[in-house]
Amino acid sequence: MRRIAGIVLAVLLIGGVVAAVVAGRDTGDTSTATKTVRGVIGSEKAEFFADPEVVKALAAEGYTVRTETSGSWAMDGLDLKGYDFAFPSSKAPADELAEKYRVREPLPRPFYSPLVVVAHRGAAEVLSRNGLATLEKDRGVLDMDAYLTAAEAGRTWQQLKGADRYGELAGLLYIATTDPTTSSSGALYLAAASNVANDGRVVTGEADIRRTAPLLHDLISVQGAQQPSSDAAFRDFVSGVGNPLVLVYESQVAALLAGGQKVDDLVVLYPDTTVNSDHTVVPVTDEGRALGELLSTDSELRRLAARYGFRPQGSAKEFTAATAALTTYLTPRLTVRQAPVPTSEVLHEMARRARGR
């Protein structure tokens, strides 16, 4: 009887193991082993990579992405050994990193975002009344030539018609930016301003740098201490702290509004001469390159990037769909002039002299 019982028990155990294996196959579990990819990114992309839907979409393609944030220009001072990619906010610091690490071209550029100026309603209306901007609902166009002329002359808010209605408008008129020596948005602001000051020509050498340096120094020195990242500067603006005019990426505004957050007196000004920030992947390994190409081509990741306000390269359909309800603030189809960006060497020198170094 004991032998019979033992045989029966063995059969049941084997049957249970087989049943468990079959059940495991039938659960519909489609999870796959993922390879972990590490990268250094600009802070404006941190929320995108942390989004659960982005994490899921990457995992579906076999990736777990671990990121750390850094100012785009500051990435040059990092040791990328052990990382798979760097992902600065514009092409110039990406080109510099690619040269340093001997990365082959082309570099993946999954999406881009133009620079914009966020303004409080009172400040925007004063600019409009004084011929420095034109307004349409909650968006408008900043006249860069008129603004730079006013900034160069050291005009104050009190000298502008209508500013006396707003107690918060006091002191020198300026746009708050990030530090151009460490942050991409601050450096690109100099690229746009120098292009206007240089009669619409890109700054290419010492003569052009000397010609535009005094104005660029005025634009930066008036600000005092600058934020290290556009993310911090934008958070301050939304909370009502700091300057009434702040340079940020359009993507930051779009992501905030798409998330349902309201800023009651927000006006978005598109400079009539601006610079697109091409978010460029610098792949240090093959896995980093594959990730950069995936971000560029995968339809779900492109859709999610647009939800965070980035404009995917190529077709505009994802961005147009994601911002359909936000056109009182945003311009789906850009009509402002895109200025060419100086080489990274020239841009570094412009930033250094603007900071008085």
Side-chain angles (χ1 to χ4, degrees):
M1 290 296 292
R2 285 180 184 172
R3 290 184 62 193
I4 294 172
I7 293 170
V8 171
L9 180 59
V11 170
L12 288 173
L13 286 172
I14 293 171
V17 170
V18 172
V21 171
V22 173
R25 290 174 179 169
D26 292 342
T27 57
D29 183 5
T30 58
S31 62
T32 59
T34 61
K35 44 185 170 286
T36 299
V37 181
R38 295 184 64 209
V40 181
I41 63 172
S43 62
E44 68 291 327
K45 293 184 283 288
E47 289 188 4
F48 168 74
F49 278 104
D51 186 295
E53 289 191 52
V54 174
V55 172
K56 181 179 178 181
L58 289 168
E61 297 298 326
Y63 291 94
T64 297
V65 180
R66 306 290 185 212
T67 61
E68 300 170 22
T69 60
S70 168
S72 293
W73 284 110
M75 290 180 189
D76 184 55
L78 302 177
D79 182 0
L80 294 182
K81 184 178 180 180
Y83 292 89
D84 297 286
F85 70 97
F87 201 175
S89 304
S90 60
K91 189 174 181 296
D95 287 342
E96 195 166 89
L97 286 169
E99 182 177 356
K100 178 179 179 179
Y101 290 95
R102 296 181 177 147
V103 177
R104 65 178 173 84
E105 297 281 352
L107 304 179
R109 290 186 294 155
F111 40 73
Y112 67 97
S113 184
L115 292 171
V116 298
V117 175
V118 288
H120 294 296
R121 169 64 61 182
E125 290 181 349
V126 170
L127 292 179
S128 176
R129 185 172 180 181
N130 288 268
L132 300 177
T134 56
L135 298 182
E136 180 185 350
K137 296 184 179 179
D138 297 316
R139 71 183 189 201
V141 175
L142 177 71
D143 186 325
M144 280 289 284
D145 189 44
Y147 163 71
L148 293 175
T149 298
E152 190 172 29
R155 296 189 71 180
T156 65
W157 283 104
Q158 293 92 324
Q159 292 173 318
L160 301 181
K161 293 180 292 185
D164 55 348
R165 296 174 52 196
Y166 306 98
E168 70 275 15
L169 299 181
L172 288 168
L173 170 68
Y174 69 89
I175 296 169
T177 71
T178 55
D179 184 342
T181 62
T182 60
S183 172
S184 180
S185 60
L188 292 179
Y189 174 63
L190 297 185
S194 66
N195 188 271
V196 175
N198 202 37
D199 299 324
R201 299 189 304 271
V202 65
V203 173
T204 58
E206 179 60 28
D208 290 340
I209 293 174
R210 282 202 310 269
R211 185 181 305 112
T212 58
L215 171 62
L216 301 187
H217 178 69
D218 288 345
L219 296 177
I220 300 302
S221 62
V222 70
Q223 299 184 45
Q226 293 175 288
Q227 291 281 16
S229 72
S230 59
D231 185 53
F234 187 51
R235 283 200 307 269
D236 283 353
F237 175 85
V238 172
S239 64
V241 177
N243 201 58
L245 303 174
V246 180
L247 185 85
V248 299
Y249 295 113
E250 179 195 52
S251 58
Q252 293 169 293
V253 183
L256 180 86
L257 297 174
Q261 188 168 343
K262 301 295 183 184
V263 183
D264 292 337
D265 64 346
L266 171 67
V267 176
V268 181
L269 299 175
Y270 288 79
D272 60 7
T273 296
T274 190
V275 175
N276 277 345
S277 177
D278 285 313
H279 295 262
T280 305
V281 176
V282 182
V284 183
T285 66
D286 290 342
E287 288 79 7
R289 181 172 293 277
L291 175 66
E293 292 171 353
L294 182 67
L295 291 169
S296 302
T297 59
D298 184 84
S299 59
E300 178 66 1
L301 289 169
R302 286 173 61 91
R303 182 187 71 82
L304 291 168
R307 195 173 73 180
Y308 276 88
F310 300 112
R311 294 175 181 253
Q313 296 285 0
S315 172
K317 65 180 182 180
E318 294 98 345
F319 183 82
T320 301
T323 59
L326 308 176
T327 53
T328 58
Y329 294 98
L330 305 176
T331 302
R333 185 175 181 180
L334 293 175
T335 57
V336 293
R337 177 175 175 267
Q338 301 297 318
V341 179
T343 65
S344 59
E345 181 182 1
V346 169
L347 205 52
H348 266 309
E349 184 60 19
M350 288 166 56
R352 188 186 68 79
R353 296 192 194 184
R355 289 286 294 170
R357 296 177 180 172

